[in-house]
Amino acid sequence: MSHSKDRPSYLAHHFSDPAQQSDSAKLGMWIFILTEILLFGGLFVAYSIFRAWNPDMFYNAHKFLDVKMGGINTVVLITSSVTMALSIRSMQLGRKKQTIGFLVATLLFAAVFLVIKYLEYSHKFHLGQLPGKFYTFTGVKGNNPHIFFSIYFVMTGLHGVHVIAGMTVIVMMLVRTMRNRFSSEYYTPLEMTGLYWHLVDLIWIYLFPLLYLIG
Amino acid sequence: MSSMPEKNYLTEKRGLKSWLLTLDHKRIGVMYLIGISISFALGGIFALLIRLELLNPGRDIVGAQTYNQLFTLHGAVMIFLFIIPGIPAALGNFVLPLMLGAKDVAFPRLNLASWYIYVFGALLAVVSIFTGSVDTGWTFYTPYSTQTSGAVVTMTLAAFILGFSSIFTGLNFIVTIHKLRAPGMTWFKMPLFVWSLYATAIIQVLATPVLGITLVLLILERVLGMGIFDPAMGGDPVLFQHFFWFYSHPAVYIMILPAMGIISELISTFSHKRIFGYRAIAFSSFGIAFISFLVWGHHMFTSGQSELASMIFSFLTFFVAIPSGIKVFNWLATLYKGSISLDTPMLYALSFLFLFAIGGLTGMFLATTATDIHLHDTYFVVAHFHYVMFGGTVIAFLGGLHFWWPKIWGRMYNENWAKISALLVFVGFNVTFISQFIMGIKGMPRRYYTYLDQYHRMHGFSTIGSWIMGLGFFIMVVYLVHSIYKGRPAGSNPWGSLTMEWETTSPPPTENFAGDMKLTHGPYDYDKIVPRTD
Amino acid sequence: MIESTMINRNSHHHIAPLWLYLAIGGALLVLTAVTITVSYIDLGGWNIVVALVIASIKGSLVAMFFMHLYYDKKIYTIVIVMGLLFLSIFISLTMFDTGRRGDIYEIKSEPIKPEADFYKELPPADSLDQTGHSEH
Ligand SMILES: [Cu+2]
């Protein structure tokens, strides 16, 4: 409060300079990413154990996942990561219009991802490949294939929830960018959104081979 | 006699709204203090009812089903609503930035959000009581938890939500400690309470997400019949225990580590002596935090877990004794030849040493697979757990509360009543739980509604102990609340302590300190300077 | 316009060149194609290893360049490595149990229930549904 003259408007009162503020945000964000990794980690533990117990069932069941659709979704998500990174780069260079363009592109790719996911889900619902006790499909050889689909739906479902959350945050960033809240000097929230979106991509990078490409 | 500062964080803004929308870590700390106090009272009433029911075999006041719900609620409320947020979110929130010479925590908004999440989770837990309640025990073991009727989903959801509150507090503290230390406050100039909060925060962010996914899977298991924890569906109930204890063993260190930090502050301050082995105490917190992630299987020796895994987990569990022993050794060495003053906080610190030693050593019995087969699921486990969690954490929390109370409210409580109350709590606690050790060794199983006649006398002792403790807490509530309004002004440094929070007024101003802080002396330089007492 | 690594003078943020982002994106797509192709070759137990190695290379590229770990302070990398370390503890100690039940005492360990009850109520699997899309 005492030295408000040389303090930029985005600097909160309890920080002494912008670098301290943005470093704090970044460290906080990375710790948040750490918690996300452990949240998904539990599912990877369940996956590992049941796959180790029932390797043949996992192999047989995974054939019912569509590699083409999963592959396209991988490409879509990687591309959206590139556009997200570029939107931040544009803001670093002070090019607001480019930033907006790249953010919109990221949103579009995210939407495509969700649409494809929806098509995959509805196909499985149709066949009765539902999680747990709702499972009615008889075409998979091996012990308790409903467990594979339970794990598949929880993993991709939780990931899908993260995609939707990411899209929400990106929309918020889009609005803030349009309202000139960011500049080449201050774009920390945009940067944090980027980190989050890359995390969503990162998780999918592991989910895709583990679920769709069991060799 | 000193007087209260005109302008402080309590008086600067007034009205309920100024509290509910505050971003000030001190006010959020006080709001947490109120929340956990209500939870503690609630959990305590459940405990008194349990003890009353167990006074005689068979029915005394409630039926078996209600009894099952009571011990579940006692456990769930005490663990998730009181003891996990207790020290970090209430006392830590208030003291941490003051100890670092900072103006606030790194993310004040997140701090407030974590309080609202806490309240929301607490309300949801209360809702579950009135919508069928839960009788699974606080551990929610499958397959019982997926089959029993009652509000398991609501209670689980509440614990899930409370997890976020804990994660946000931990995240906030780590960043605050990294980025907001005052100039001159190097890592090894930080008070040991800060070190312990740091180690605690690391466990909070590493372990709590696993609790989150565990509870999500449990809810899905109940709703969708996922099958991964249900043996009838080809799942593995022991897997649930792995998931649960991967969080919940480290979680007991979320509860005990900050307590140990408080004890370090109390022992140094009231011995008026430099803490012995500063670095050893600081690093042993991290040792405990790390080992805590390697030992969870010691809860599962009788579960059908691989015997080989049990042996490894048993072996690793013994390692916890090393850093814990280092701490106790250093505290005793600090007391040695100190000029000890026996103010109320110090009485709590000394009871901690006594009770925690018993709690810790009986843990070794349970970590040994051969003795654990006999003691598992008996009152011995219950007594061990309470010696660590109550004798350790709650006693240290009370010590810290009495230590920082004058800083929080600017007023002093009645020292005589405080000592009487501390004595009653100490005596009552030992009467309650030593009898449970004895019953446990004789084979009294935990969570049973009734018992054989041979345990009648010991159950009687235990129940009388709970009344003594209850009286102690009742007195405490009276003199503490009284002191807020009528206590004499405490002055900025009533105990003559050297950590930074005592350099500002009591209560502190909204901005914490009059100007920007700079470290002028270490937190334990009692051999170099005589602290100002006023 | 000069598209090379440069430092924004005002805020000292690192700005990576455009070509770098495009190159990393390209590499990720190529690696995706590789991992799909390899999955159709029968390598026995090595399939999962290869898949995880490729995924980890892709993940590291994302973390290092898109998420700037390569340029940023080391502490952020430490945070993430900690997470992976504790996750691997979780996986390995849990699997140490689930994979080794009955190792000491000769209690035969087997799946708890090879077939859940509800399968008996499903129609018989005589007309094996051939809706699987990928042929391995
Ligand atoms: Cu434990």
Side-chain angles (χ1 to χ4, degrees):
Chain A
M1 294 234 178
S2 47
H3 23 239
S4 53
K5 286 163 247 160
D6 41 316
R7 290 173 72 90
S9 58
Y10 56 79
L11 185 59
H13 81 103
H14 58 295
F15 290 112
S16 51
D17 57 73
Q20 190 191 30
Q21 173 166 303
S22 78
D23 279 3
S24 298
K26 218 183 242 180
L27 182 59
M29 191 65 203
W30 275 105
I31 295 169
F32 178 70
I33 289 174
L34 165 85
T35 66
E36 292 276 22
I37 289 177
L38 281 143
L39 183 80
F40 273 94
L43 297 177
F44 284 104
V45 173
Y47 172 91
S48 314
I49 282 161
F50 284 101
R51 180 166 169 184
W53 271 340
N54 310 296
D56 296 338
M57 181 272 279
F58 263 60
Y59 177 74
N60 294 332
H62 104 281
K63 285 188 187 166
F64 292 90
L65 303 188
D66 191 333
V67 176
K68 217 177 284 161
M69 285 198 172
I72 293 172
N73 254 352
T74 309
V75 173
V76 167
L77 219 49
I78 287 173
T79 318
S80 79
S81 243
V82 175
T83 54
M84 186 72 225
L86 291 179
S87 80
I88 296 165
R89 183 176 179 279
S90 303
M91 188 47 86
Q92 288 176 320
L93 296 168
R95 299 170 191 157
K96 182 185 145 190
K97 274 195 188 134
Q98 266 189 20
T99 303
I100 293 173
F102 281 127
L103 283 178
V104 172
T106 311
L107 274 177
L108 284 177
F109 285 122
V112 171
F113 179 91
L114 285 180
V115 168
I116 293 178
K117 203 79 233 153
Y118 167 78
L119 294 175
E120 283 189 79
Y121 273 18
S122 52
H123 182 62
K124 282 182 188 55
F125 286 2
H126 179 72
L127 288 177
Q129 293 160 338
L130 288 144
K133 65 181 176 197
F134 300 104
Y135 185 84
T136 56
F137 188 64
T138 49
V140 181
K141 278 186 229 143
N143 295 333
N144 296 320
H146 66 278
I147 287 185
F148 176 85
F149 288 97
S150 290
I151 290 175
Y152 165 81
F153 277 110
V154 179
M155 283 182 132
T156 55
L158 188 62
H159 179 261
V161 169
H162 280 73
V163 171
I164 293 167
M167 290 174 76
T168 318
V169 181
I170 292 173
V171 169
M172 282 157 61
M173 291 303 127
L174 199 56
V175 173
R176 286 220 230 168
T177 310
M178 288 189 210
R179 289 187 183 160
N180 290 321
R181 293 291 156 77
F182 303 133
S183 65
S184 62
E185 272 153 60
Y186 174 70
Y187 52 87
T188 309
L190 197 61
E191 210 181 353
M192 300 305 109
T193 311
L195 287 178
Y196 183 83
W197 191 251
H198 297 313
L199 170 76
V200 172
D201 185 21
L202 201 63
I203 290 167
W204 182 258
I205 283 176
Y206 280 91
L207 289 185
F208 176 59
L210 287 178
L211 293 169
Y212 290 79
L213 303 176
I214 297 177
Chain B
M1 282 289 116
S2 38
S3 60
M4 299 269 287
E6 283 279 295
K7 219 173 159 199
N8 61 54
Y9 82 100
L10 291 169
T11 55
E12 186 161 317
K13 287 188 191 126
R14 285 179 184 280
L16 187 65
K17 204 176 140 201
S18 78
W19 279 85
L20 292 179
L21 297 178
T22 185
L23 296 178
D24 181 354
H25 70 98
K26 298 182 289 303
R27 285 188 162 204
I28 296 171
V30 169
M31 278 149 62
Y32 257 118
L33 190 61
I34 295 167
I36 61 159
S37 301
I38 294 170
S39 307
F40 184 66
L42 199 65
I45 290 169
F46 292 139
L48 287 170
L49 291 174
I50 293 169
R51 280 315 322 161
L52 192 58
E53 171 53 42
L54 290 170
L55 186 57
N56 301 301
R59 185 189 167 105
D60 281 328
I61 48 166
V62 293
Q65 179 64 26
T66 315
Y67 172 80
N68 286 353
Q69 293 170 354
L70 279 178
F71 74 66
T72 302
L73 288 170
H74 167 69
V77 167
M78 284 299 199
I79 298 274
F80 294 114
L81 289 174
F82 168 66
I83 207 164
I84 286 179
I87 297 179
L91 295 179
N93 230 327
F94 191 94
V95 175
L96 176 76
L98 291 168
M99 279 188 151
L100 293 175
K103 295 195 175 86
D104 208 319
V105 292
F107 310 114
R109 248 175 263 266
L110 190 68
N111 201 14
L112 182 65
S114 97
W115 184 77
Y116 276 102
I117 293 169
Y118 169 81
V119 171
F120 182 63
L123 290 178
L124 211 54
V126 172
V127 166
S128 83
I129 298 177
F130 294 107
T131 53
S133 205
V134 187
D135 61 352
T136 60
W138 75 279
T139 48
F140 308 121
Y141 272 10
T142 56
Y144 185 67
S145 58
T146 56
Q147 290 162 1
T148 176
S149 61
V152 177
V153 171
T154 320
M155 184 54 109
T156 316
L157 204 60
F160 176 77
I161 287 165
L162 290 166
F164 280 97
S165 160
S166 180
I167 287 175
F168 290 158
T169 304
L171 190 157
N172 223 332
F173 283 8
I174 294 179
V175 178
T176 307
I177 292 168
H178 268 270
K179 295 293 174 195
L180 291 182
R181 281 171 284 135
M185 177 77 73
T186 55
W187 284 94
F188 292 108
K189 288 271 162 41
M190 296 195 313
L192 286 164
F193 183 49
V194 175
W195 274 106
S196 73
L197 284 175
Y198 185 45
T200 308
I202 289 176
I203 306 181
Q204 283 177 303
V205 297
L206 277 172
T208 318
V210 176
L211 175 74
I213 197 69
T214 309
L215 298 176
V216 167
L217 287 174
L218 177 59
I219 292 173
L220 291 176
E221 187 81 40
R222 244 186 108 93
V223 178
L224 300 178
M226 289 251 299
I228 66 170
F229 296 141
D230 184 355
M233 297 278 282
D236 182 12
V238 177
L239 185 61
F240 177 83
Q241 299 188 20
H242 279 295
F243 269 75
F244 183 80
W245 290 111
F246 182 83
Y247 165 75
S248 292
H249 183 79
V252 301
Y253 295 100
I254 294 177
M255 309 172 204
I256 195 74
L257 277 174
M260 292 168 157
I262 291 179
I263 297 305
S264 301
E265 300 301 333
L266 297 182
I267 288 196
S268 179
T269 299
F270 292 97
S271 303
H272 305 283
K273 188 166 162 241
R274 172 179 293 277
I275 190 97
F276 187 87
Y278 172 91
R279 286 190 189 214
I281 295 180
F283 288 135
S284 62
S285 293
F286 288 87
I288 292 176
F290 178 70
I291 298 169
S292 76
F293 283 93
L294 304 175
V295 302
W296 77 84
H298 63 216
H299 296 269
M300 301 161 61
F301 290 159
T302 63
S303 69
Q305 169 180 246
S306 151
E307 298 89 1
L308 206 58
S310 291
M311 283 165 67
I312 305 255
F313 279 123
S314 168
F315 179 72
L316 290 170
T317 301
F318 292 126
F319 281 95
V320 181
I322 297 172
S324 311
I326 289 174
K327 280 184 191 284
V328 175
F329 173 83
N330 284 304
W331 292 325
L332 294 178
T334 309
L335 289 171
Y336 180 66
K337 288 192 173 171
S339 57
I340 296 170
S341 40
L342 289 175
D343 297 299
T344 310
M346 188 58 164
L347 291 185
Y348 281 111
L350 295 176
S351 1
F352 173 96
L353 289 180
F354 179 76
L355 301 173
F356 176 72
I358 296 177
L361 290 172
T362 49
M364 295 290 98
F365 293 50
L366 296 168
T368 313
T369 45
T371 44
D372 182 65
I373 303 293
H374 175 72
L375 296 172
H376 183 81
D377 263 357
T378 68
Y379 269 42
F380 192 89
V381 177
V382 178
H384 155 71
F385 186 71
H386 282 84
Y387 263 86
V388 182
M389 290 294 102
F390 189 100
T393 307
V394 179
I395 292 290
F397 168 77
L398 294 174
L401 188 70
H402 284 81
F403 182 54
W404 286 303
W405 190 263
K407 181 56 65 184
I408 295 173
W409 302 104
R411 291 179 186 277
M412 196 55 104
Y413 44 83
N414 183 309
E415 194 54 43
N416 289 333
W417 280 112
K419 282 181 177 151
I420 292 169
S421 150
L423 189 72
L424 286 172
V425 169
F426 180 79
V427 171
F429 172 77
N430 281 298
V431 172
T432 311
F433 288 102
I434 282 184
S435 42
Q436 297 197 11
F437 271 130
I438 297 168
M439 278 190 278
I441 290 175
K442 288 183 169 177
M444 171 74 210
R446 70 192 290 195
R447 291 179 176 172
Y448 273 33
Y449 173 60
T450 186
Y451 47 84
L452 300 176
D453 255 348
Q454 67 195 76
Y455 302 114
H456 197 169
R457 185 201 295 249
M458 282 296 154
H459 269 297
F461 275 126
S462 191
T463 301
I464 291 169
S466 74
W467 295 339
I468 302 175
M469 250 197 291
L471 178 65
F473 277 110
F474 178 74
I475 294 172
M476 193 186 299
V477 170
V478 173
Y479 72 75
L480 283 182
V481 172
H482 176 263
S483 77
I484 295 176
Y485 301 99
K486 295 279 157 79
R488 70 177 162 81
S492 62
N493 192 2
W495 315 114
S497 181
L498 282 179
T499 43
M500 221 178 230
E501 76 271 26
W502 303 103
E503 286 177 32
T504 186
T505 54
S506 309
T510 304
E511 290 277 305
N512 284 353
F513 299 97
D516 286 340
M517 284 306 280
K518 202 168 177 292
L519 189 89
T520 50
H521 54 75
Y524 307 109
D525 286 351
Y526 293 98
D527 45 357
K528 292 186 192 147
I529 9 175
V530 180
R532 201 166 45 89
T533 349
D534 50 13
Chain C
M1 188 187 309
I2 308 152
E3 293 284 6
S4 65
T5 306
M6 50 187 159
I7 300 286
N8 181 325
R9 260 191 223 102
N10 296 320
S11 46
H12 303 283
H13 290 292
H14 178 269
I15 304 180
L18 180 62
W19 65 262
L20 183 75
Y21 287 126
L22 298 179
I24 299 293
L28 290 171
L29 295 180
V30 171
L31 285 169
T32 305
V34 171
T35 193
I36 294 176
T37 316
V38 172
S39 78
Y40 289 97
I41 306 166
D42 186 9
L43 301 172
W46 288 96
N47 274 103
I48 173 91
V49 178
V50 173
L52 283 177
V53 167
I54 295 176
S56 299
I57 295 172
K58 287 166 77 183
S60 311
L61 287 177
V62 171
M64 279 163 68
F65 297 103
F66 287 173
M67 298 167 99
H68 292 131
L69 279 186
Y70 183 74
Y71 313 102
D72 264 339
K73 296 196 171 103
K74 287 284 163 294
I75 178 83
Y76 309 129
T77 312
I78 294 172
V79 169
I80 286 318
V81 170
M82 283 247 302
L84 298 175
L85 174 76
F86 282 89
L87 180 57
S88 60
I89 290 174
F90 187 15
I91 293 186
S92 43
L93 279 178
T94 306
M95 289 190 81
F96 193 83
D97 162 34
T98 56
R100 296 189 166 272
R101 291 186 189 159
D103 266 17
I104 292 186
Y105 303 111
E106 286 175 6
I107 303 161
K108 187 108 176 57
S109 169
E110 48 193 52
I112 292 160
K113 188 141 191 170
E115 198 176 67
D117 288 336
F118 73 87
Y119 284 98
K120 295 188 187 87
E121 287 149 32
L122 298 181
D126 42 28
S127 59
L128 263 188
D129 205 320
Q130 290 304 318
T131 18
H133 294 278
S134 53
E135 298 91 37
H136 282 241

